[in-house]
């Protein structure tokens, strides 16, 4: 029987040999595309950049400690004091920033006020002079000053006696407890902010959510500040000073770092966590004056350290522990600025967050 001319022809059946086998495993290129997405590639490149910056920052800041412009007092009769100051100003590399001081009591007061880091008391009637240092501000700085001045005194045929007017506590090995305490508070701040972002999105969906995140961070900051102060003080006996003052400092440090991290996440999304690590860990820790006090750091790190939360926190912690709480106004203002700016940006970005447009079916 013949088929009508206008009837459709049956479509040819596919060749079983040319059809893809659903049971065959994907190729290596397919697996590579699925396993390493462009977004993952960017994140890995960012992590690599942070790693290299971390190495460059720490090694660059700490590999070659050298005294630079250390505020230094000279106590002596007028003619001898002026002559000594001129000699110290002419030292190669300008390790000291000397100035005359009226007497030993004034020199001690200036050291405790953290206006100078050491002072040389010259006694023209004897062959032995006295160097005042403060190891509570950093053992490495006190040791470097003692070594430099001892060499200068020896070249003059004189001997040196060193007096520590603000000694580091016996439990504060190398004077680093304040640094590790502040680093712990900083880590808690950005990890808390990161946890809040990972659990509910990097950017708060509305103003109320932003307020809730900041409130949760504030509670965490109070608890973290208290815990750190108690552990470093009464529990381990590693850092002297008022527990209440250290508690307040810890709460401020944690909140400042956490609020800054929340703000950076609002601006950059999840990549804001990396930016926070760049500021606090990569740039902030080596420049904080912990392992090496500021006068021993290269100029760049010495300049940025006081403006970042770790550096401001370490300065205040040492002042509380060893310097009667002196000279803390500026670093506390720095920490307050980070906390205020971080909270403000978080709230503004949350308030500006637009809700998604409703779908036609939902109207």
């Amino acid at each position: 029987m013949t088929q009508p001319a206008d009837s459709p022809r049956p479509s040819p059946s596919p060749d079983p040999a040319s059809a893809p086998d659903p049971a065959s495993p994907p190729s290596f290129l397919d697996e590579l595309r699925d396993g390493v997405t462009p977004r993952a590639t960017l994140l890995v490149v960012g992590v690599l950049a942070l790693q290299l910056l971390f190495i460059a920052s720490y090694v660059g800041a700490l590999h070659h400690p050298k005294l630079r412009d250390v505020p230094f007092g000279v106590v002596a009769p007028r003619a001898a004091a002026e002559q000594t100051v001129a000699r110290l100003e002419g030292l190669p590399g300008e390790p000291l920033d000397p100035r005359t001081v009226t007497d030993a009591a004034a020199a001690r007061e200036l050291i405790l006020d953290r206006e100078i880091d050491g002072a040389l008391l010259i006694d023209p009637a004897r062959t032995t002079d006295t160097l005042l240092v403060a190891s509570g501000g950093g053992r490495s700085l006190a040791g470097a000053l003692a070594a430099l001045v001892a060499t200068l005194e020896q070249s003059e045929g004189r001997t040196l006696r060193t007096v520590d007017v603000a000694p580091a506590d016996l439990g504060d090995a190398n004077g680093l407890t304040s640094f590790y305490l502040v680093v712990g508070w900083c880590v808690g701040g950005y990890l808390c902010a990161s946890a809040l972002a990972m659990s509910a999105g990097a950017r708060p969906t509305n103003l109320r959510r932003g307020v809730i995140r900041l409130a949760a961070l504030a509670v965490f900051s109070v608890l973290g500040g208290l815990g750190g102060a108690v552990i470093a003080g009464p529990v381990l006996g590693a850092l002297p000073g008022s527990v209440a003052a250290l508690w307040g400092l810890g709460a401020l440090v944690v909140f400042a770092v956490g609020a800054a991290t929340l703000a950076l996440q609002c601006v950059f999304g999840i990549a804001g966590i990396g930016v926070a690590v760049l500021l606090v860990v990569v740039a902030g820790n080596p420049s904080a004056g912990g392992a090496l006090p500021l006068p021993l750091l290269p100029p760049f790190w010495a300049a940025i350290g006081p403006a970042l939360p770790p550096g401001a926190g370490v300065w205040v912690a040492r002042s509380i522990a060893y310097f009667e709480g002196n000279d803390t106004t500026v670093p506390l203002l720095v920490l307050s600025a980070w906390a205020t700016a971080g909270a403000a940006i978080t709230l503004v970005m949350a308030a500006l967050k637009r809700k998604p447009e409703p779908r036609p079916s939902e109207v």
Side-chain angles (χ1 to χ4, degrees):
M1 182 177 179
T2 25
Q3 189 175 3
D6 56 351
S7 63
R9 297 182 180 180
S11 57
S13 58
D15 185 2
S18 62
D21 184 4
S24 63
S27 66
F28 175 78
L29 288 178
D30 292 333
E31 293 282 9
L32 182 62
R33 293 190 193 98
D34 289 340
V36 185
T37 63
R39 184 171 183 269
T41 302
L42 288 175
L43 289 174
V44 170
V45 170
V47 171
L48 176 61
L50 279 178
Q51 172 186 298
L52 298 180
L53 286 171
F54 182 96
I55 295 171
S57 182
Y58 278 70
V59 176
L62 307 177
H63 78 290
H64 184 49
K66 182 180 178 183
L67 291 171
R68 290 178 176 84
D69 295 322
V70 181
F72 191 78
V74 176
V75 177
R78 182 171 181 179
E82 292 177 352
Q83 183 180 4
T84 302
V85 167
R87 181 187 176 204
L88 296 179
E89 287 178 336
L91 292 175
E94 300 181 349
L96 303 178
D97 179 16
R99 74 284 311 267
T100 59
V101 181
T102 54
D103 54 34
R108 288 174 177 268
E109 190 68 23
L110 289 173
I111 291 174
L112 292 177
D113 288 342
R114 308 200 74 177
E115 293 187 28
I116 60 175
D117 292 312
L120 178 63
L121 313 181
I122 299 175
D123 186 354
R126 300 182 181 180
T127 59
T128 299
D129 297 327
T130 301
L131 173 67
L132 304 182
V133 295
S135 62
R139 291 185 188 270
S140 54
L141 176 57
L145 281 175
L148 173 64
V149 177
T151 301
L152 296 174
E153 290 284 285
Q154 187 177 10
S155 67
E156 295 287 325
R158 302 178 67 82
T159 56
L160 185 68
R161 180 176 71 100
T162 302
V163 176
D164 197 341
V165 299
D169 195 78
L170 292 176
D172 186 6
N174 295 321
L176 292 176
T177 299
S178 55
F179 172 64
Y180 293 134
L181 177 61
V182 171
V183 167
W185 282 330
C186 290
V187 169
Y190 67 71
L191 286 183
C192 176
S194 302
L196 291 172
M198 286 186 287
S199 64
R203 300 178 176 91
T205 54
N206 54 51
L207 181 59
R208 183 180 297 176
R209 293 288 181 89
V211 172
I212 291 172
R213 287 193 184 185
L214 289 171
L217 175 64
V219 173
F220 178 87
S221 301
V222 171
L223 296 177
L226 176 61
V230 170
I231 290 172
V235 173
L236 298 178
L239 196 67
S242 167
V243 173
L246 288 173
W247 178 10
L249 170 64
L252 180 57
V253 170
V254 175
F255 188 82
V257 173
T261 304
L262 287 176
L264 290 169
Q265 290 170 162
C266 288
V267 175
F268 299 106
I270 201 67
I273 298 174
V275 180
V277 171
L278 175 65
L279 290 173
V280 176
V281 179
V282 175
N285 285 355
S287 65
L292 293 178
L294 297 180
L296 289 170
L297 291 174
F300 173 76
W301 284 267
I304 67 172
L308 297 174
V314 169
W315 184 272
V316 176
R318 282 180 171 161
S319 290
I320 292 172
Y322 299 115
F323 297 95
E324 304 173 356
N326 293 324
D327 196 22
T328 59
T329 301
V330 172
L332 287 176
L333 287 175
V334 169
L335 291 170
S336 299
W338 280 90
T340 303
I345 293 173
T346 299
L347 294 177
V348 169
M349 295 295 290
L352 295 176
K353 179 77 173 179
R354 293 184 178 180
K355 296 181 180 179
E357 295 291 335
R359 297 178 181 178
S361 59
E362 297 174 347
V363 177

